[in-house]
Amino acid sequence: MMIVLSGAIGAGKSSLATILSEHLGTEAFYEQVDNNPVLPLFYKDPKKYAFLLQIYFLNKRFDSIKKAMVQDNNVLDRSIYEDSLFFHMNADMGRATPQEVKVYDELLDNMMQELPYAAAKKAPDLLVHLDISYDTMIHRIEKRGRSYEQPEQDPTLPEYYHQLLSRYDGWYDDYDYSPKMKIDGDKYDFVENPEDRQKVLDLIDEQLRKRGTLD
Ligand SMILES: Nc1ncnc2c1ncn2[C@@H]1O[C@H](COP(=O)(O)OP(=O)(O)O)[C@@H](O)[C@H]1O
Ligand SMILES: Nc1nc2c(ncn2[C@H]2C[C@H](O)[C@@H](COP(=O)(O)O)O2)c(=O)[nH]1
């Protein structure tokens, strides 16, 4: 089966997906971001585009899962379960109607039942969660530089990011679809520092060995 990464915006999921898949000799599957036509529209007018963006991500995520599941230890850079976290948070902020939430939840449930792995196992092999503080999140968002995510573009974004991070704490604690582990994304600079990178890979290898998915 596969390894799924989770974490807030800028946590380092895409970076770790590349590093981990190279280490394991497998393939990484990335979220549709730079070529996502709905994402900039969502940041400009969240109320209008929250539902459309969610359907866009769900469709692409489903496609990635189907492709990723053909080989053991392929790496997905975000879990399908987090999409729901994002959407419910946006709905609670008044950006989606209860009817849209109902349609989304039922569609997600229906699609998950169609996945062969969901039917057999209902889960990835391991969820690796990247835990970051608010300051790290903002620093990374600035470092990466996607214009529509920058706090100075929109004064409501800091509150959006705070809420997202606080929801992630509860989300990780409640997550029980598969074995899980948390990496301290503030502490380990696995992008620039080779020693930190090796430590993070060792931590993940240890978990994979425990689960019998790494020799
Ligand atoms: N652990 C880390 N240490 C230092 N920089 C990081 C780390 N993780 C990510 N970055 C940097 O932060 C930015 C966002 O990382 P990215 O992998 O795109 O995050 P995500 O996919 O979770 O949104 C990038 O510029 C990346 O180089
Ligand atoms: N409203 C939603 N936004 C989402 C969802 N999944 C991702 N995103 C946004 C958040 C970022 O701006 C961007 C990419 O996320 P990264 O964490 O990979 O940087 O897309 C979602 O389900 N709903």
Side-chain angles (χ1 to χ4, degrees), residues 6-9 42 54 57-58 61 78-93 95-96 101 104-105 108 127 129 137 160-175 177:
S6 66
I9 304 166
F42 165 76
Q54 223 48 57
F57 271 125
L58 177 58
R61 188 93 58 210
R78 174 168 263 140
S79 72
I80 198 161
Y81 309 108
E82 292 162 87
D83 294 341
S84 183
L85 177 160
F86 267 93
F87 190 47
H88 279 262
M89 182 179 97
N90 276 284
D92 291 345
M93 295 169 80
R95 295 160 165 194
V101 173
Y104 178 80
D105 286 349
L108 175 61
L127 177 100
H129 181 64
M137 182 183 187
Y160 185 72
Y161 293 154
H162 271 298
Q163 273 212 41
L164 191 64
L165 277 180
S166 72
R167 290 214 180 202
Y168 259 104
D169 289 337
W171 176 85
Y172 178 78
D173 291 342
D174 293 345
Y175 176 91
Y177 295 102

Side-chain angles (χ1 to χ4, degrees), residues 61-80:
R61 188 93 58 210
F62 198 72
D63 201 41
S64 296
I65 292 172
K66 284 196 298 183
K67 287 179 181 142
M69 53 192 278
V70 301
Q71 183 189 225
D72 273 350
N73 289 340
N74 276 343
V75 184
L76 277 175
D77 84 338
R78 174 168 263 140
S79 72
I80 198 161

Side-chain angles (χ1 to χ4, degrees), residues 168-188:
Y168 259 104
D169 289 337
W171 176 85
Y172 178 78
D173 291 342
D174 293 345
Y175 176 91
D176 62 359
Y177 295 102
S178 72
K180 60 184 176 182
M181 65 181 290
K182 204 186 258 195
I183 304 268
D184 186 338
D186 286 358
K187 182 171 156 192
Y188 294 112

